[in-house]
Amino acid sequence: MEYDSANPRETRGREIARRYTIKQEDGIWLVPSSSGKSTRYKVDLKKLSCTCPDFEFHRQKCKHIFAVEFSFEQEFLALLTEEEMSQIPKSTQKRKTYPQFWSPYNKSQVFEKFEFQNLLAELCKGIAEPSHKNGRPPLNLGDMIFACVFKVYSTYSSRRFMTDLRTAHAIGFISELPHYNAIFRYLQRESLTPYLKIMIEQSSLPLVALEKAFAVDASGFATTGGFTWLYARYTEPRLIEKRDWLKMHICIGTLTNIITAAEVTEKYDHEANYFAPLVEATAKNFEMVEISADAAYLSKANLQIAVDNDIYPYIAWKSNSRETDKVGNELWNRLYHYYAMNKDKFLTHYHRRSNVETAFHMLKTLFGENLRSKMRTAQINECLARILAHNLICLVRSMYKFGLKPEFWREI
């Protein structure tokens, strides 16, 4: 049996077979879960079926089927003699590889920090200064947004970050050098939130001509919590086991991972409720051909929103999804029928959703999984600043990979 090392399901299946004992009962193989839990999935080799959720959705070989095949293969080979073993042809299949464009990637990494500041400064020039009548003149808003976003990008504390900010001031990216306490105060302002959202939108527009396929998803970012240790330790001990976080909902372009729309909400807000605002905000600026999402977004309303905006929805169907005779489900039935008759084609488009996982991985790898701010408004603004920083990084990479020359604050 040939081994395809490029198939992650087969790789994980072989690992399951090596680590766990696979038992057979009445022609059915009982395969333990790869997480080590007590869950066991039933595999029927004759029908090539499994009771795991992965097989229920994809209807193709899962890691548990591969684990049984590998286990069966090893038992069979153990019974062969050396002469019989020598007659079995060895696999010569080569591992599938993909081209790596290292030259533009290396250049973008080398010059990223400077180009990031240059793009951020250009973006901040479009921020209109709010009117001011009485009192001490405020700091320049564009400079303060630059300082807040650049501080989040640096991942330093505000005090250590001042060295980078002095360099930016010396180059001319900002007109005034603010105190580090001013950065704290501005991050805590509710009035900063709409500015950051507008800048996220503007930072995605240079890639309008490239992005046609999109994906949505949500992920959590842990906060510092909303209670003191003394209160949790002596008044409400159960709080020690609980963590607080904010949920980030994003829509990305699957080619460059640029974030075209974003919402930051409390941890218990369901993802499906934010499909419509993310799609509608993106559709205003981009020509959306398709959008992919996991099963959490599956609903008649979300399918209708996508179709109303001339977008084909590649949203994962659940294992119990079926056609129905109820009135008003015509769109649901048509889309389900297409999925049932064209699973391979559907899954090819659906798997572009993996890029949104890549975007979250980039955000958490570059800036960390935990938010540094303590106040709620500052935490929301920090999330949005991370998204804006991520977008500028994507623009820098596109500059070196596609020859992009970003320009902001221009009508499409």
Side-chain angles (χ1 to χ4, degrees), residues 149 152 196 200-201 203 221 248-250 258-264 360 363 367 380-394:
V149 177
V152 170
L196 291 173
I200 290 171
E201 179 184 358
S203 65
F221 286 79
M248 184 187 293
H249 309 259
I250 61 173
I258 196 78
I259 297 175
T260 58
E263 293 287 344
V264 180
F360 278 122
L363 283 164
F367 310 122
I380 294 173
N381 288 335
E382 183 182 344
C383 281
L384 295 173
R386 290 185 179 194
I387 294 172
L388 179 56
H390 166 87
N391 276 5
L392 295 179
I393 291 171
C394 291

Side-chain angles (χ1 to χ4, degrees), residues 57 65 72 103 110 120 140 155 159 177 193 201 203 218 284 311 339 375:
F57 175 69
I65 296 178
F72 183 82
S103 180
V110 170
L120 181 57
N140 182 275
T155 70
R159 295 169 180 84
L177 182 65
T193 304
E201 179 184 358
S203 65
K284 289 191 304 182
I311 309 165
Y339 158 73
M375 306 299 291

Side-chain angles (χ1 to χ4, degrees), residues 62-310:
C62 63
K63 57 187 176 183
H64 307 105
I65 296 178
F66 281 116
V68 172
E69 289 183 341
F70 179 70
S71 178
F72 183 82
E73 176 188 0
Q74 295 305 304
E75 291 180 5
F76 172 74
L77 293 177
L79 300 175
L80 297 179
T81 63
E82 292 185 3
E83 182 179 354
E84 291 172 329
M85 285 286 292
S86 63
Q87 297 177 2
I88 299 178
K90 295 183 179 180
S91 173
T92 58
Q93 184 176 2
K94 294 183 179 180
R95 181 174 181 177
K96 188 177 181 179
T97 59
Y98 299 90
Q100 302 293 325
F101 303 101
W102 287 111
S103 180
Y105 175 79
N106 292 337
K107 289 180 180 178
S108 68
Q109 292 281 286
V110 170
F111 298 106
E112 180 185 281
K113 195 169 187 178
F114 176 81
E115 296 290 0
F116 175 91
Q117 296 175 75
N118 188 34
L119 291 175
L120 181 57
E122 289 296 320
L123 195 56
C124 290
K125 288 180 181 179
I127 299 297
E129 198 67 25
S131 60
H132 177 75
K133 296 182 179 179
N134 302 319
R136 183 179 178 179
L139 294 167
N140 182 275
L141 181 59
D143 288 349
M144 291 312 302
I145 293 178
F146 179 96
C148 291
V149 177
F150 190 25
K151 184 263 180 190
V152 170
Y153 168 82
S154 72
T155 70
Y156 291 143
S157 68
S158 292
R159 295 169 180 84
R160 291 190 175 94
F161 166 66
M162 291 307 296
T163 299
D164 284 340
L165 197 58
R166 288 192 192 95
T167 303
H169 177 248
I171 296 174
F173 290 133
I174 55 175
S175 58
E176 298 179 74
L177 182 65
H179 193 271
Y180 56 81
N181 281 332
I183 301 176
F184 293 139
R185 293 196 300 270
Y186 270 76
L187 270 175
Q188 294 174 7
R189 291 188 175 186
E190 291 185 4
S191 59
L192 187 64
T193 304
Y195 285 103
L196 291 173
K197 288 185 176 181
I198 292 172
M199 294 175 72
I200 290 171
E201 179 184 358
Q202 286 294 323
S203 65
S204 69
L205 297 186
L207 295 171
V208 164
L210 294 177
E211 294 290 2
K212 304 296 181 182
F214 298 83
V216 297
D217 204 357
S219 185
F221 286 79
T223 67
T224 55
F227 51 85
T228 65
W229 165 256
L230 290 176
Y231 178 79
R233 176 68 178 82
Y234 297 105
T235 306
E236 190 61 52
R238 290 180 300 174
L239 291 177
I240 296 177
E241 302 298 326
K242 294 185 177 181
R243 296 187 67 184
D244 188 28
W245 70 88
L246 287 175
K247 186 177 284 187
M248 184 187 293
H249 309 259
I250 61 173
C251 178
I252 70 152
T254 58
L255 178 63
T256 62
N257 294 328
I258 196 78
I259 297 175
T260 58
E263 293 287 344
V264 180
T265 66
E266 294 299 326
K267 58 185 178 182
Y268 294 123
D269 289 354
H270 199 277
E271 299 97 291
N273 298 331
Y274 293 90
F275 182 86
L278 292 176
V279 169
E280 291 171 352
T282 303
K284 289 191 304 182
N285 303 316
F286 289 80
E287 181 187 351
M288 301 179 70
V289 176
E290 64 182 71
I291 189 163
S292 53
D294 60 31
Y297 294 89
L298 182 63
S299 70
K300 291 190 295 183
N302 287 343
L303 294 174
Q304 189 65 54
I305 288 167
V307 173
D308 288 345
N309 286 277
D310 297 326

Side-chain angles (χ1 to χ4, degrees), residues 317-329:
W317 294 89
K318 299 177 182 179
S319 59
N320 60 349
S321 297
R322 297 290 184 273
E323 293 187 43
T324 174
D325 295 332
K326 294 182 180 179
V327 178
N329 286 345

